[in-house]
Amino acid sequence: MEQFCNKDCFDQDKDVIAPLYGKASINFVKGEGSYLFDADGHKYLDFVSGIAVNALGHAFPAVVTAIQEQAAKFTHVSNLYPNELQVKLARKLLADSPYTKAFFCNSGTEANEAAIKFARKYFNRIGQPDRVQIVTFFNSFHGRTFGALSATGQPALQEGFGSMPGGFSHVAWNDTSALKAMVNEKTCAIMLEPLAAEGGVLTISPEMVTTINDLRNEFGCLVITDEIQTGLGRLGLFYGADIYGLKSDITTLAKAIGAGLPLGATLMRGKVADILKAGDHGTTFGGNPIACAAGLVVVNEIKKPLFLETVRTRSQQLKAGLSQLASKYSFLGDVRGEGLLLGLCSEKPVADIITLLRKEGLLVHRAGANVLRFLPPLNVSAEEIEEALQKLDNALAQVV
Ligand SMILES: Cc1ncc(COP(=O)(O)O)c(C=O)c1O
C-alpha cells in the first residue's frame, strides 16, 4: 500500500477529514516503547502518549500478543452474553477499591454519561426522583457528548449546540465557599477530576478535599470522580483520588485502560450497583473482548510490585528537571501536577514551544492556554526523562 509522506498525509487529511482538530504535519508510521517514527524518517520521544492513553508506551509486546490472540478467536459477541475478559478485567479494577461493580463502554465521555445516569437513577429508585442536580467545576473536562459536555465547566465548548441537558451547576475550582453554597439536600452528585488535567493541570487543595468529603457525609450526595486521565497510575497511585484522600461513590476510567483500543469503565459502590436493573443502560460494543484483553495486560503491568513506586520516582526526576528549567528561563512559571501528569506554565505561547519541541524530536501537549503538559508513558526510563529535559532545554533556548 502506498505510504504518504508527512506533508501528503497532512494535505489529504485536510481534504477528507472533518476539520475538528489542530493537527501537526506528521504521519506516524511506527511506535516502539517511548518513541514514535514518522514517514519522513524522524524519531520522536513521545511525552504525549496519545493524551495519557499509552501508559505502557507503543507496541508493548504483551499487549500486541493479547490483541492478536483475541482477534484470532473472535472480535465481538455483544453484551447479550457474559464475557470472560470483561469479568477478569473488572475483578482487577475493583480489587482494593471501594467499588463492587463495573460497567464497560467505549470512551471517557460514555463512562461519564453512565456515571451521571447511574447517580440520577440511584436517587430515583430510592424515592428521591427530584434529586438530579450535579455540581461540577469550571475548567473541568468530562467529554463531548451532551451529558458529559453539560458537566464540563467550559462555556466555550458548549456554545452553539443549543440547550444543554439541565441540572448541572458549576463552581470555581478549589472554591470551598462556592461549593458549600451550591450543595444541599437536592444535590445528586458532586463530579470532579481529582486533578483538572485539560483545564490547566490544576491540583486540588486539601481544604477542597475535606469540604467534598464533609458535604458527601452531611447531605448523602454521591461523589463521582472522573479518573479518565488521572486513573490507572498516572498520578502515582492506581486511583488518583486516593492520593488526596477524596472519597468517591462512582469513578470513571478510559484512556489508558485499553492500551489505545476504545474502552471505558464506570465503577460503582454496592449501593449504586444494587438499584440498577437490566435495560437501564447499555451499549453494543462496550467491553469489547479485544479491548479487554489489552486492558488486562495494562492493569496487570501497573499492579506489579514496584511499578507505581517507579512512576513516583520518575515523577520526582521530571519535576526536578522542569523546576531547574523554570529557574533558567524567565518566561517559565510554576511546575504543576502530580505523578506523570505534569504542567509547566509559560508566558510565551505554548503552541510555538510545542512546534520547536517537535523539531527537537520531543512530543508534548498543552493544557489550557499557557501550560505545557507532560504525559510520558508510565514505564518511561530515567534516561528517556533526561533526554526529554535536554531536548526541552534546546527548544527553550530558541524561544524569542
Ligand atoms: C478527565 C477527562 N474526562 C473525560 C474525557 C473524555 O474522554 P473521551 O475523549 O475518551 O471521550 C477526557 C478526555 O480528554 C478527560 O481528560
Side-chain angles (χ1 to χ4, degrees):
M1 204 172 32
E2 180 206 359
Q3 185 181 288
F4 296 154
C5 68
N6 284 348
K7 184 173 179 311
D8 280 352
C9 192
F10 183 71
D11 292 345
Q12 299 222 28
D13 177 294
K14 274 197 182 316
D15 275 351
V16 293
I17 304 296
L20 296 169
Y21 307 95
K23 291 182 184 171
S25 179
I26 308 183
N27 178 19
F28 292 119
V29 292
K30 191 174 119 127
E32 201 180 305
S34 301
Y35 293 92
L36 277 168
F37 302 83
D38 75 17
D40 294 355
H42 304 120
K43 179 180 178 183
Y44 305 85
L45 183 51
D46 182 8
F47 272 36
V48 175
S49 301
I51 321 182
V53 167
N54 302 304
L56 304 180
H58 299 281
F60 189 78
V63 168
V64 176
T65 307
I67 291 173
Q68 286 172 337
E69 285 182 1
Q70 184 53 42
K73 290 180 191 157
F74 56 85
T75 57
H76 174 79
V77 289
S78 86
N79 284 307
L80 294 175
Y81 314 98
N83 172 337
E84 168 178 331
L85 292 156
Q86 272 188 26
V87 174
K88 288 179 179 162
L89 182 56
R91 282 204 192 286
K92 296 270 175 200
L93 295 171
L94 298 170
D96 308 316
S97 88
Y99 315 108
T100 65
K101 293 262 161 65
F103 163 76
F104 286 111
C105 54
N106 311 284
S107 66
T109 200
E110 283 174 83
N112 283 335
E113 292 291 332
I116 292 163
K117 287 178 76 178
F118 297 166
R120 287 185 172 175
K121 188 66 102 177
Y122 167 75
F123 282 111
N124 183 285
R125 289 253 157 87
I126 65 165
Q128 300 179 49
D130 297 337
R131 212 163 159 169
V132 294
Q133 186 207 23
I134 308 225
V135 181
T136 76
F137 293 84
F138 286 115
N139 290 312
S140 60
F141 186 78
H142 297 296
R144 303 282 192 160
T145 50
F146 269 107
L149 185 59
S150 208
T152 293
Q154 298 192 47
L157 300 184
Q158 299 174 348
E159 203 216 301
F161 293 115
S163 52
M164 293 286 122
F168 291 86
S169 323
H170 301 94
V171 298
W173 184 248
N174 282 336
D175 186 340
T176 52
S177 312
L179 186 67
K180 283 182 200 161
M182 191 68 82
V183 172
N184 55 42
E185 56 288 330
K186 282 273 158 49
T187 303
C188 168
I190 301 169
M191 178 171 182
L192 76 159
E193 302 154 81
L195 182 155
E198 300 292 322
V201 191
L202 308 171
T203 43
I204 191 164
S205 68
E207 296 74 30
M208 188 49 120
V209 171
T210 308
T211 303
I212 293 171
N213 288 344
D214 289 351
L215 289 168
R216 174 174 174 271
N217 282 341
E218 185 178 348
F219 294 108
C221 60
L222 301 177
V223 171
I224 302 171
T225 44
D226 175 342
E227 296 255 20
I228 285 158
Q229 190 150 162
T230 56
L232 293 148
R234 178 55 61 186
L235 300 191
L237 286 183
F238 197 81
Y239 292 109
D242 291 342
I243 291 172
Y244 307 107
L246 182 63
K247 298 265 188 298
S248 162
D249 300 286
I250 303 178
T251 200
T252 54
L253 301 169
K255 288 196 180 278
I257 194 179
L261 296 186
L263 185 63
T266 308
L267 310 183
M268 65 211 94
R269 286 190 190 248
K271 70 175 187 180
V272 179
D274 287 349
I275 59 87
L276 293 178
K277 293 184 185 155
D280 280 344
H281 190 59
T283 154
T284 298
F285 291 120
N288 170 275
I290 302 183
C292 286
L296 263 173
V297 175
V298 172
V299 175
N300 281 336
E301 205 59 34
I302 293 173
K303 291 209 166 194
K304 277 187 180 162
L306 297 186
F307 187 96
L308 291 174
E309 202 179 308
T310 309
V311 168
R312 296 193 288 271
T313 309
R314 300 277 180 273
S315 168
Q316 281 167 12
Q317 182 193 352
L318 183 54
K319 241 185 190 170
L322 294 177
S323 299
Q324 264 181 13
L325 291 171
S327 333
K328 180 169 173 184
Y329 296 97
S330 59
F331 59 88
L332 296 178
D334 286 355
V335 177
R336 299 174 174 170
E338 191 79 51
L340 290 174
L341 201 177
L342 296 178
L344 177 59
C345 299
S346 167
E347 282 168 15
K348 301 275 185 181
V350 291
D352 296 348
I353 301 177
I354 288 170
T355 305
L356 285 170
L357 283 169
R358 226 164 21 233
K359 289 187 183 138
E360 289 293 322
L362 176 66
L363 304 174
V364 303
H365 194 27
R366 60 195 294 168
N370 63 346
V371 181
L372 289 166
R373 186 168 21 152
F374 299 85
L375 295 160
L378 299 184
N379 58 359
V380 67
S381 70
E383 294 72 29
E384 287 161 349
I385 289 184
E386 283 316 310
E387 185 186 336
L389 290 166
Q390 187 56 58
K391 288 181 188 302
L392 187 56
D393 196 0
N394 296 346
L396 292 171
Q398 299 166 51
V399 172
V400 283

